[in-house]
Coordinates of all heavy atoms in Angstrom, one line a residue:
M171 N -0.5 7.1 -6.9 CA -2.0 7.1 -6.9 C -2.4 7.0 -5.4 O -2.1 6.0 -4.7 CB -2.5 5.9 -7.6 CG -3.9 5.9 -7.9 SD -4.5 4.9 -9.3 CE -3.6 5.5 -10.6
G172 N -3.0 8.0 -4.9 CA -3.4 8.0 -3.5 C -4.8 7.4 -3.2 O -5.5 7.1 -4.1
L173 N -5.1 7.3 -1.9 CA -6.4 6.9 -1.6 C -7.5 7.9 -1.9 O -7.2 9.1 -1.8 CB -6.5 6.5 -0.1 CG -5.5 5.4 0.4 CD1 -5.6 5.2 1.9 CD2 -5.9 4.1 -0.3
K174 N -8.7 7.5 -2.3 CA -9.7 8.5 -2.5 C -10.2 9.2 -1.3 O -10.3 8.6 -0.2 CB -10.9 7.7 -3.1 CG -10.6 7.0 -4.4 CD -11.8 6.1 -4.8 CE -11.4 5.2 -6.0 NZ -12.4 4.2 -6.2
A175 N -10.4 10.5 -1.4 CA -10.9 11.2 -0.2 C -12.3 10.9 0.1 O -13.1 10.7 -0.8 CB -10.7 12.7 -0.5
M176 N -12.7 10.8 1.4 CA -14.0 10.5 1.8 C -14.9 11.8 1.5 O -14.5 12.9 1.7 CB -14.1 10.2 3.2 CG -15.5 9.8 3.7 SD -15.3 9.1 5.4 CE -17.0 8.5 5.5
T177 N -16.0 11.5 0.9 CA -16.9 12.6 0.5 C -17.9 12.9 1.7 O -18.0 12.1 2.6 CB -17.7 12.3 -0.7 OG1 -18.6 11.2 -0.4 CG2 -16.9 11.9 -1.9
V178 N -18.6 14.0 1.6 CA -19.5 14.4 2.6 C -20.6 13.4 2.7 O -21.2 13.2 3.8 CB -20.1 15.8 2.3 CG1 -21.1 16.2 3.3 CG2 -19.0 16.9 2.3
S179 N -21.0 12.8 1.6 CA -22.1 11.8 1.6 C -21.7 10.5 2.3 O -22.5 9.6 2.4 CB -22.5 11.5 0.2 OG -21.5 10.9 -0.6
G180 N -20.5 10.3 2.7 CA -20.1 9.1 3.4 C -19.6 8.0 2.5 O -19.5 6.8 2.9
E181 N -19.2 8.3 1.3 CA -18.7 7.3 0.4 C -17.4 6.7 1.0 O -16.7 7.3 1.8 CB -18.4 7.9 -1.0 CG -19.5 8.0 -1.9 CD -19.1 8.5 -3.2 OE1 -18.0 8.3 -3.7 OE2 -19.9 9.2 -3.9
S182 N -17.1 5.5 0.5 CA -15.9 4.8 0.9 C -14.6 5.6 0.5 O -14.6 6.3 -0.6 CB -15.8 3.4 0.3 OG -14.6 2.8 0.5
R183 N -13.6 5.6 1.3 CA -12.3 6.2 1.0 C -11.6 5.4 0.0 O -10.7 6.0 -0.7 CB -11.5 6.4 2.3 CG -12.0 7.4 3.2 CD -11.1 7.4 4.4 NE -11.5 8.5 5.3 CZ -10.7 9.5 5.6 NH1 -9.5 9.6 5.0 NH2 -11.1 10.4 6.4
G184 N -11.8 4.2 -0.2 CA -11.1 3.3 -1.1 C -11.0 1.9 -0.6 O -11.4 1.6 0.5
A185 N -10.5 1.0 -1.5 CA -10.4 -0.4 -1.1 C -9.0 -0.7 -0.6 O -8.0 -0.3 -1.3 CB -10.8 -1.2 -2.3
V186 N -8.9 -1.4 0.5 CA -7.6 -1.8 1.1 C -7.6 -3.3 1.2 O -8.5 -3.9 1.7 CB -7.5 -1.1 2.5 CG1 -6.2 -1.6 3.1 CG2 -7.5 0.4 2.4
L187 N -6.4 -3.9 0.8 CA -6.2 -5.3 1.1 C -5.2 -5.3 2.3 O -4.2 -4.7 2.3 CB -5.5 -5.9 -0.1 CG -5.0 -7.4 0.1 CD1 -6.2 -8.3 0.4 CD2 -4.2 -7.9 -1.1
L188 N -5.7 -5.9 3.3 CA -5.0 -6.0 4.6 C -4.5 -7.5 4.8 O -5.4 -8.4 4.9 CB -5.8 -5.6 5.8 CG -5.2 -5.7 7.2 CD1 -3.9 -4.9 7.3 CD2 -6.2 -5.3 8.2
A189 N -3.2 -7.7 4.8 CA -2.7 -9.1 4.9 C -1.9 -9.2 6.2 O -0.8 -8.6 6.3 CB -1.8 -9.4 3.7
E190 N -2.4 -10.0 7.1 CA -1.8 -10.2 8.4 C -2.2 -11.6 9.0 O -3.4 -11.9 8.9 CB -2.4 -9.1 9.4 CG -2.1 -9.3 10.8 CD -0.7 -9.3 11.2 OE1 0.0 -8.3 11.0 OE2 -0.2 -10.4 11.8
D191 N -1.2 -12.4 9.4 CA -1.5 -13.7 9.8 C -1.8 -13.8 11.3 O -2.2 -14.9 11.8 CB -0.4 -14.7 9.4 CG 1.0 -14.3 10.0 OD1 1.1 -13.5 10.9 OD2 2.0 -14.9 9.4
E192 N -1.7 -12.8 12.1 CA -2.1 -12.8 13.5 C -3.5 -12.3 13.6 O -3.8 -11.1 13.3 CB -1.2 -11.9 14.3 CG -1.5 -11.7 15.7 CD -1.5 -13.0 16.5 OE1 -0.6 -13.9 16.3 OE2 -2.5 -13.3 17.3
P193 N -4.5 -13.2 14.0 CA -5.9 -12.8 14.0 C -6.2 -11.6 14.8 O -7.0 -10.7 14.4 CB -6.6 -14.0 14.6 CG -5.6 -15.2 14.3 CD -4.3 -14.6 14.4
S194 N -5.6 -11.4 16.0 CA -6.0 -10.2 16.8 C -5.5 -8.9 16.2 O -6.2 -7.9 16.2 CB -5.4 -10.3 18.2 OG -4.0 -10.4 18.2
I195 N -4.4 -8.9 15.5 CA -3.9 -7.7 14.8 C -4.8 -7.5 13.6 O -5.1 -6.3 13.3 CB -2.4 -7.9 14.4 CG1 -1.5 -7.9 15.7 CG2 -1.9 -6.7 13.5 CD1 -0.1 -8.3 15.4
L196 N -5.1 -8.5 12.9 CA -5.9 -8.4 11.7 C -7.3 -7.8 12.1 O -7.8 -6.8 11.4 CB -6.2 -9.8 11.0 CG -6.9 -9.8 9.7 CD1 -6.1 -9.2 8.6 CD2 -7.3 -11.2 9.4
Y197 N -7.9 -8.2 13.1 CA -9.2 -7.7 13.6 C -9.1 -6.2 14.0 O -9.9 -5.4 13.6 CB -9.7 -8.5 14.8 CG -10.9 -7.9 15.4 CD1 -12.2 -8.1 14.8 CD2 -10.8 -7.1 16.5 CE1 -13.3 -7.6 15.4 CE2 -12.0 -6.5 17.1 CZ -13.2 -6.8 16.5 OH -14.3 -6.2 17.1
T198 N -8.0 -5.9 14.7 CA -7.8 -4.5 15.2 C -7.6 -3.5 14.0 O -8.3 -2.5 13.9 CB -6.6 -4.4 16.1 OG1 -6.9 -5.2 17.3 CG2 -6.4 -3.0 16.6
F199 N -6.7 -3.9 13.1 CA -6.5 -3.1 11.9 C -7.7 -2.9 11.0 O -8.0 -1.9 10.5 CB -5.3 -3.6 11.1 CG -3.9 -3.3 11.6 CD1 -3.7 -2.7 12.8 CD2 -2.8 -3.7 10.9 CE1 -2.5 -2.5 13.3 CE2 -1.5 -3.4 11.4 CZ -1.4 -2.8 12.6
T200 N -8.4 -4.0 10.8 CA -9.6 -4.0 10.0 C -10.7 -3.1 10.6 O -11.2 -2.2 9.9 CB -10.2 -5.4 9.9 OG1 -9.3 -6.3 9.3 CG2 -11.5 -5.4 9.1
T201 N -10.9 -3.2 11.9 CA -11.8 -2.3 12.6 C -11.5 -0.8 12.4 O -12.3 0.0 12.1 CB -11.9 -2.7 14.1 OG1 -12.3 -4.1 14.2 CG2 -12.9 -1.8 14.8
I202 N -10.2 -0.5 12.7 CA -9.8 0.9 12.6 C -10.0 1.4 11.1 O -10.5 2.5 11.0 CB -8.3 1.0 13.0 CG1 -8.1 0.8 14.5 CG2 -7.7 2.4 12.6 CD1 -6.7 0.6 15.0
L203 N -9.6 0.7 10.2 CA -9.7 1.1 8.8 C -11.2 1.2 8.3 O -11.5 2.2 7.7 CB -9.0 0.1 7.8 CG -7.4 0.2 7.9 CD1 -6.8 -1.0 7.2 CD2 -6.9 1.5 7.3
E204 N -12.0 0.3 8.7 CA -13.4 0.4 8.4 C -14.1 1.6 9.1 O -14.9 2.3 8.4 CB -14.1 -0.9 8.8 CG -13.8 -2.1 7.8 CD -14.4 -3.4 8.2 OE1 -14.9 -3.6 9.4 OE2 -14.5 -4.3 7.3
E205 N -13.7 1.8 10.3 CA -14.3 3.0 11.0 C -13.8 4.3 10.4 O -14.5 5.3 10.4 CB -13.9 3.0 12.5 CG -14.7 2.0 13.3 CD -14.2 1.9 14.7 OE1 -13.3 2.6 15.2 OE2 -14.9 1.1 15.5
A206 N -12.7 4.3 9.7 CA -12.2 5.5 9.0 C -12.8 5.6 7.6 O -12.5 6.5 6.9 CB -10.7 5.4 8.9
G207 N -13.6 4.6 7.2 CA -14.3 4.7 5.9 C -13.8 3.9 4.8 O -14.2 4.1 3.6
F208 N -12.8 3.1 5.0 CA -12.2 2.2 4.0 C -13.0 0.9 3.8 O -13.5 0.4 4.8 CB -10.8 1.9 4.3 CG -9.9 3.2 4.3 CD1 -9.6 3.8 5.5 CD2 -9.4 3.7 3.1 CE1 -8.8 4.9 5.5 CE2 -8.6 4.8 3.1 CZ -8.3 5.4 4.3
K209 N -13.0 0.4 2.6 CA -13.6 -0.9 2.4 C -12.4 -1.9 2.5 O -11.4 -1.8 1.7 CB -14.2 -1.0 1.0 CG -14.8 -2.3 0.7 CD -15.4 -2.3 -0.7 CE -16.0 -3.7 -1.0 NZ -16.5 -3.8 -2.3
V210 N -12.4 -2.8 3.4 CA -11.3 -3.6 3.7 C -11.5 -5.1 3.4 O -12.5 -5.7 3.8 CB -10.9 -3.5 5.2 CG1 -9.7 -4.4 5.5 CG2 -10.7 -2.1 5.7
K211 N -10.6 -5.7 2.7 CA -10.5 -7.1 2.4 C -9.4 -7.6 3.3 O -8.2 -7.3 3.1 CB -10.2 -7.4 0.9 CG -9.9 -8.8 0.6 CD -11.1 -9.6 0.5 CE -10.7 -11.0 0.0 NZ -11.8 -11.8 -0.5
S212 N -9.7 -8.4 4.3 CA -8.8 -8.9 5.3 C -8.4 -10.4 4.9 O -9.4 -11.2 4.8 CB -9.3 -8.8 6.7 OG -9.6 -7.5 7.0
V213 N -7.1 -10.7 4.9 CA -6.7 -12.0 4.6 C -5.6 -12.4 5.5 O -4.9 -11.6 6.0 CB -6.2 -12.2 3.1 CG1 -7.4 -11.9 2.2 CG2 -5.1 -11.3 2.8
Q214 N -5.4 -13.7 5.8 CA -4.5 -14.2 6.8 C -3.3 -15.0 6.1 O -2.5 -15.5 6.9 CB -5.2 -15.1 7.8 CG -6.0 -14.3 8.7 CD -6.5 -15.2 9.9 OE1 -7.4 -16.0 9.7 NE2 -6.0 -15.0 11.1
S215 N -3.2 -15.0 4.8 CA -2.1 -15.8 4.2 C -1.6 -15.1 2.9 O -2.4 -14.4 2.3 CB -2.5 -17.2 3.9 OG -3.4 -17.3 2.8
F216 N -0.4 -15.4 2.6 CA 0.2 -14.9 1.4 C -0.6 -15.4 0.1 O -0.9 -14.6 -0.7 CB 1.6 -15.4 1.3 CG 2.3 -15.0 0.0 CD1 2.7 -13.7 -0.3 CD2 2.6 -15.9 -1.0 CE1 3.3 -13.3 -1.5 CE2 3.2 -15.6 -2.2 CZ 3.6 -14.3 -2.4
K217 N -1.0 -16.7 0.1 CA -1.7 -17.2 -1.0 C -3.1 -16.6 -1.2 O -3.4 -16.2 -2.3 CB -1.9 -18.8 -0.8 CG -2.6 -19.4 -2.0 CD -2.8 -20.9 -1.7 CE -3.6 -21.4 -2.9 NZ -3.9 -22.8 -2.8
T218 N -3.8 -16.3 -0.1 CA -5.1 -15.7 -0.2 C -4.9 -14.2 -0.6 O -5.7 -13.7 -1.4 CB -5.8 -15.7 1.1 OG1 -5.9 -17.1 1.6 CG2 -7.2 -15.2 1.0
A219 N -3.8 -13.6 -0.2 CA -3.6 -12.2 -0.6 C -3.3 -12.1 -2.1 O -3.8 -11.2 -2.8 CB -2.4 -11.6 0.2
Q220 N -2.5 -13.1 -2.6 CA -2.2 -13.1 -4.0 C -3.5 -13.3 -4.8 O -3.7 -12.6 -5.8 CB -1.3 -14.3 -4.3 CG 0.2 -14.1 -4.1 CD 0.9 -15.3 -4.6 OE1 0.6 -16.5 -4.2 NE2 2.0 -15.1 -5.4
E221 N -4.3 -14.2 -4.4 CA -5.6 -14.5 -5.1 C -6.5 -13.2 -5.1 O -7.1 -12.9 -6.1 CB -6.3 -15.6 -4.4 CG -5.7 -17.0 -4.6 CD -6.2 -18.1 -3.8 OE1 -7.1 -17.8 -2.9 OE2 -5.8 -19.2 -3.9
S222 N -6.5 -12.5 -4.0 CA -7.3 -11.3 -3.8 C -6.8 -10.2 -4.8 O -7.6 -9.5 -5.4 CB -7.3 -10.8 -2.4 OG -7.9 -11.7 -1.5
L223 N -5.5 -10.1 -4.9 CA -4.9 -9.1 -5.7 C -5.2 -9.4 -7.2 O -5.3 -8.5 -8.0 CB -3.4 -9.2 -5.5 CG -2.5 -8.1 -6.1 CD1 -3.0 -6.7 -5.7 CD2 -1.1 -8.3 -5.8
Q224 N -5.3 -10.7 -7.6 CA -5.6 -11.1 -9.0 C -7.1 -10.8 -9.3 O -7.5 -10.6 -10.4 CB -5.3 -12.5 -9.2 CG -3.8 -12.8 -9.2 CD -3.5 -14.3 -9.2 OE1 -4.3 -15.1 -9.2 NE2 -2.2 -14.6 -9.2
Q225 N -8.0 -10.9 -8.3 CA -9.4 -10.8 -8.5 C -10.0 -9.4 -8.4 O -11.1 -9.2 -8.9 CB -10.1 -11.7 -7.5 CG -9.8 -13.2 -7.6 CD -10.3 -14.0 -6.4 OE1 -10.9 -13.5 -5.5 NE2 -10.1 -15.3 -6.5
Q226 N -9.3 -8.5 -7.7 CA -9.8 -7.2 -7.4 C -8.7 -6.2 -7.4 O -7.6 -6.4 -7.2 CB -10.4 -7.3 -6.0 CG -11.1 -6.0 -5.5 CD -11.7 -6.1 -4.1 OE1 -11.8 -7.2 -3.6 NE2 -12.0 -5.0 -3.5
E227 N -9.1 -4.9 -7.8 CA -8.2 -3.8 -7.7 C -8.3 -3.2 -6.3 O -9.4 -3.0 -5.8 CB -8.5 -2.8 -8.8 CG -8.0 -3.2 -10.1 CD -8.1 -2.0 -11.1 OE1 -8.5 -0.9 -10.8 OE2 -7.7 -2.2 -12.3
F228 N -7.2 -2.8 -5.8 CA -7.1 -2.1 -4.5 C -6.4 -0.8 -4.6 O -5.5 -0.6 -5.4 CB -6.4 -3.0 -3.5 CG -7.1 -4.3 -3.2 CD1 -6.8 -5.4 -3.8 CD2 -8.1 -4.3 -2.2 CE1 -7.4 -6.6 -3.5 CE2 -8.7 -5.5 -1.9 CZ -8.4 -6.6 -2.6
D229 N -6.9 0.2 -3.8 CA -6.2 1.5 -3.7 C -4.9 1.4 -2.9 O -4.0 2.2 -3.1 CB -7.2 2.5 -3.2 CG -8.4 2.7 -4.0 OD1 -8.2 3.1 -5.2 OD2 -9.5 2.4 -3.6
A230 N -5.0 0.5 -1.9 CA -3.8 0.3 -1.0 C -3.7 -1.1 -0.5 O -4.7 -1.8 -0.5 CB -3.9 1.3 0.2
I231 N -2.5 -1.5 -0.2 CA -2.2 -2.8 0.4 C -1.4 -2.6 1.6 O -0.4 -1.9 1.6 CB -1.5 -3.7 -0.6 CG1 -2.3 -4.0 -1.8 CG2 -1.0 -5.0 0.1 CD1 -1.7 -4.9 -2.9
I232 N -1.8 -3.2 2.7 CA -1.1 -3.1 4.0 C -0.8 -4.6 4.3 O -1.6 -5.4 4.4 CB -1.9 -2.5 5.1 CG1 -2.3 -1.0 4.7 CG2 -1.1 -2.5 6.4 CD1 -3.3 -0.4 5.7
T233 N 0.5 -4.8 4.5 CA 1.0 -6.2 4.8 C 2.1 -6.2 5.8 O 2.9 -5.3 5.8 CB 1.3 -7.0 3.5 OG1 1.7 -8.3 3.8 CG2 2.5 -6.3 2.8
E234 N 2.2 -7.3 6.5 CA 3.3 -7.4 7.4 C 4.5 -8.1 6.6 O 4.2 -8.7 5.6 CB 3.0 -8.3 8.6 CG 2.7 -9.8 8.2 CD 2.5 -10.7 9.4 OE1 3.4 -10.6 10.3 OE2 1.5 -11.4 9.5
F235 N 5.7 -7.8 7.0 CA 6.9 -8.3 6.3 C 6.9 -9.8 6.3 O 7.2 -10.4 5.3 CB 8.1 -7.7 7.0 CG 9.4 -8.2 6.4 CD1 9.9 -7.8 5.2 CD2 10.1 -9.2 7.1 CE1 11.0 -8.2 4.6 CE2 11.3 -9.7 6.5 CZ 11.8 -9.2 5.3
S236 N 6.6 -10.4 7.5 CA 6.7 -11.8 7.6 C 5.3 -12.5 7.5 O 4.9 -13.3 8.4 CB 7.3 -12.2 9.0 OG 8.6 -11.7 9.1
L237 N 4.6 -12.3 6.4 CA 3.3 -12.9 6.2 C 3.6 -14.4 5.8 O 4.2 -14.7 4.8 CB 2.6 -12.2 5.0 CG 1.3 -12.7 4.6 CD1 0.3 -12.5 5.8 CD2 0.7 -11.9 3.4
D238 N 3.1 -15.2 6.7 CA 3.4 -16.7 6.6 C 4.8 -17.0 6.9 O 5.1 -17.9 7.7 CB 3.0 -17.3 5.2 CG 1.5 -17.3 5.0 OD1 0.7 -17.2 6.0 OD2 1.1 -17.3 3.8
R239 N 5.8 -16.4 6.2 CA 7.2 -16.6 6.5 C 7.9 -15.3 6.1 O 7.4 -14.5 5.3 CB 7.8 -17.8 5.9 CG 7.8 -17.9 4.4 CD 8.5 -19.1 3.8 NE 8.1 -19.4 2.5 CZ 8.6 -18.8 1.4 NH1 9.4 -17.8 1.5 NH2 8.3 -19.2 0.2
E240 N 9.1 -15.1 6.6 CA 9.9 -13.9 6.4 C 10.0 -13.6 4.9 O 10.4 -14.4 4.1 CB 11.3 -14.0 7.0 CG 12.0 -12.7 7.0 CD 13.2 -12.7 7.9 OE1 13.2 -13.4 9.0 OE2 14.2 -12.0 7.6
G241 N 9.7 -12.3 4.6 CA 9.9 -11.8 3.2 C 8.7 -11.9 2.3 O 8.7 -11.3 1.3
L242 N 7.7 -12.7 2.7 CA 6.5 -12.8 1.8 C 5.7 -11.5 1.7 O 5.1 -11.3 0.6 CB 5.7 -14.0 2.2 CG 6.2 -15.4 1.8 CD1 5.2 -16.4 2.2 CD2 6.6 -15.5 0.3
G243 N 5.8 -10.7 2.7 CA 5.1 -9.4 2.6 C 5.7 -8.5 1.5 O 5.0 -7.8 0.7
L244 N 7.1 -8.6 1.4 CA 7.8 -7.8 0.3 C 7.4 -8.4 -1.0 O 7.3 -7.7 -2.0 CB 9.3 -7.9 0.6 CG 9.8 -7.0 1.6 CD1 11.3 -7.1 1.8 CD2 9.5 -5.5 1.4
E245 N 7.3 -9.7 -1.1 CA 6.9 -10.4 -2.4 C 5.6 -9.9 -2.8 O 5.3 -9.6 -4.0 CB 7.0 -11.9 -2.2 CG 6.6 -12.6 -3.5 CD 7.5 -12.3 -4.7 OE1 8.7 -12.0 -4.5 OE2 7.0 -12.3 -5.8
L246 N 4.6 -9.8 -1.9 CA 3.3 -9.3 -2.2 C 3.3 -7.9 -2.7 O 2.7 -7.5 -3.6 CB 2.4 -9.4 -0.9 CG 0.9 -9.0 -1.1 CD1 0.2 -9.9 -2.1 CD2 0.2 -9.0 0.2
A247 N 4.2 -7.1 -2.0 CA 4.3 -5.7 -2.5 C 4.9 -5.6 -3.9 O 4.4 -4.8 -4.7 CB 5.3 -4.9 -1.5
R248 N 5.9 -6.4 -4.2 CA 6.4 -6.5 -5.6 C 5.4 -6.8 -6.6 O 5.3 -6.2 -7.7 CB 7.6 -7.5 -5.6 CG 8.8 -7.0 -5.0 CD 10.0 -8.0 -5.2 NE 11.1 -7.7 -4.3 CZ 11.3 -8.5 -3.2 NH1 10.5 -9.5 -2.9 NH2 12.3 -8.2 -2.4
E249 N 4.5 -7.8 -6.3 CA 3.5 -8.2 -7.2 C 2.5 -7.1 -7.4 O 2.0 -6.9 -8.5 CB 2.8 -9.5 -6.7 CG 3.7 -10.7 -6.8 CD 3.0 -12.0 -6.4 OE1 1.7 -12.1 -6.5 OE2 3.6 -13.0 -6.0
A250 N 2.1 -6.4 -6.3 CA 1.2 -5.4 -6.4 C 1.7 -4.2 -7.3 O 0.9 -3.6 -8.0 CB 0.8 -4.8 -5.0
K251 N 3.0 -3.9 -7.2 CA 3.5 -2.8 -7.9 C 3.6 -3.1 -9.4 O 3.8 -2.2 -10.2 CB 4.9 -2.4 -7.4 CG 4.8 -1.7 -6.0 CD 4.0 -0.4 -6.2 CE 3.9 0.4 -5.0 NZ 3.1 1.6 -5.1
K252 N 3.5 -4.4 -9.8 CA 3.5 -4.8 -11.2 C 2.1 -4.6 -11.9 O 2.0 -4.7 -13.1 CB 3.9 -6.2 -11.4 CG 5.4 -6.4 -11.0 CD 5.7 -7.9 -11.1 CE 7.2 -8.2 -10.6 NZ 7.5 -9.6 -10.6
R253 N 1.1 -4.3 -11.1 CA -0.3 -4.2 -11.6 C -0.4 -3.0 -12.5 O 0.3 -2.0 -12.3 CB -1.3 -4.1 -10.4 CG -1.2 -5.1 -9.3 CD -1.9 -6.4 -9.7 NE -3.3 -6.1 -10.0 CZ -4.0 -7.0 -10.5 NH1 -3.6 -8.2 -10.9 NH2 -5.3 -6.8 -10.8
K254 N -1.3 -3.0 -13.4 CA -1.5 -1.9 -14.3 C -1.8 -0.6 -13.5 O -1.3 0.5 -13.8 CB -2.6 -2.2 -15.3 CG -2.8 -1.1 -16.3 CD -3.9 -1.6 -17.3 CE -4.1 -0.5 -18.4 NZ -5.0 -0.9 -19.4
R255 N -2.7 -0.8 -12.5 CA -3.1 0.3 -11.6 C -2.5 0.0 -10.3 O -3.1 -0.6 -9.4 CB -4.6 0.5 -11.6 CG -5.0 1.7 -10.8 CD -6.6 1.9 -10.9 NE -6.9 2.6 -9.7 CZ -7.5 2.0 -8.6 NH1 -7.8 0.7 -8.6 NH2 -7.8 2.7 -7.6
A256 N -1.2 0.3 -10.1 CA -0.5 -0.1 -8.9 C -1.1 0.6 -7.6 O -1.2 1.8 -7.6 CB 1.0 0.2 -9.0
P257 N -1.4 -0.1 -6.6 CA -1.9 0.5 -5.3 C -0.7 1.1 -4.5 O 0.5 0.7 -4.7 CB -2.5 -0.7 -4.6 CG -1.7 -1.9 -5.1 CD -1.3 -1.6 -6.5
A258 N -1.1 1.9 -3.6 CA -0.1 2.3 -2.5 C 0.2 1.1 -1.7 O -0.7 0.3 -1.5 CB -0.7 3.4 -1.7
V259 N 1.4 0.9 -1.2 CA 1.8 -0.3 -0.4 C 2.5 0.1 0.8 O 3.4 1.0 0.8 CB 2.7 -1.2 -1.3 CG1 3.1 -2.4 -0.4 CG2 2.0 -1.7 -2.5
L260 N 2.1 -0.5 1.9 CA 2.7 -0.3 3.2 C 3.1 -1.7 3.8 O 2.2 -2.5 3.9 CB 1.8 0.4 4.2 CG 2.3 0.5 5.7 CD1 3.5 1.4 5.8 CD2 1.2 0.9 6.6
V261 N 4.4 -1.9 4.0 CA 4.9 -3.1 4.6 C 5.4 -2.8 5.9 O 6.2 -1.9 6.1 CB 6.0 -3.8 3.7 CG1 6.5 -5.0 4.3 CG2 5.5 -4.0 2.3
Y262 N 5.0 -3.5 7.0 CA 5.4 -3.2 8.3 C 6.0 -4.5 8.9 O 5.8 -5.5 8.5 CB 4.3 -2.7 9.2 CG 3.2 -3.6 9.4 CD1 3.1 -4.4 10.5 CD2 2.1 -3.7 8.5 CE1 2.1 -5.3 10.7 CE2 1.1 -4.6 8.7 CZ 1.1 -5.4 9.8 OH 0.1 -6.3 10.0

């Protein structure tokens, strides 16, 4: 399931959950994605990312590998892929 294409009318490209515990990286990625037309939910912890995943559907999830501690980014990806409508996932 890919991200929705942006329409001529300027609709959102899709919803992205961005999970990054470094504030400056989170700000930069959020700004870039929003300028590209994505609706971004930015979170700084694994727990908040999990809660967001339970409360809302996302077209994509972008997370760092070491969210809070090593490996939690992968755990978030695993949880996302279990969703009925699994989002695209990028772990960096």
Side-chain angles (χ1 to χ4, degrees):
M171 192 159 303
L173 297 176
K174 299 173 191 169
M176 186 170 188
T177 65
V178 176
S179 66
E181 280 184 28
S182 173
R183 287 179 175 246
V186 176
L187 175 61
L188 175 60
E190 167 61 62
D191 58 17
E192 175 60 44
S194 62
I195 296 172
L196 186 69
Y197 174 80
T198 301
F199 283 6
T200 299
T201 301
I202 291 168
L203 289 166
E204 286 176 343
E205 287 178 357
F208 295 97
K209 182 179 178 184
V210 181
K211 168 79 176 199
S212 301
V213 298
Q214 288 187 288
S215 72
F216 176 74
K217 182 180 179 185
T218 307
Q220 278 185 309
E221 291 168 355
S222 297
L223 190 58
Q224 292 169 0
Q225 297 169 357
Q226 181 180 345
E227 283 192 359
F228 294 95
D229 298 296
I231 296 176
I232 301 172
T233 182
E234 67 173 310
F235 176 76
S236 298
L237 182 62
D238 292 336
R239 63 178 160 75
E240 190 167 326
L242 284 183
L244 285 179
E245 180 60 31
L246 182 63
R248 284 185 199 101
E249 288 185 28
K251 288 300 185 181
K252 292 177 185 176
R253 309 279 302 166
K254 183 175 183 177
R255 187 175 153 258
V259 177
L260 173 69
V261 179
Y262 64 94

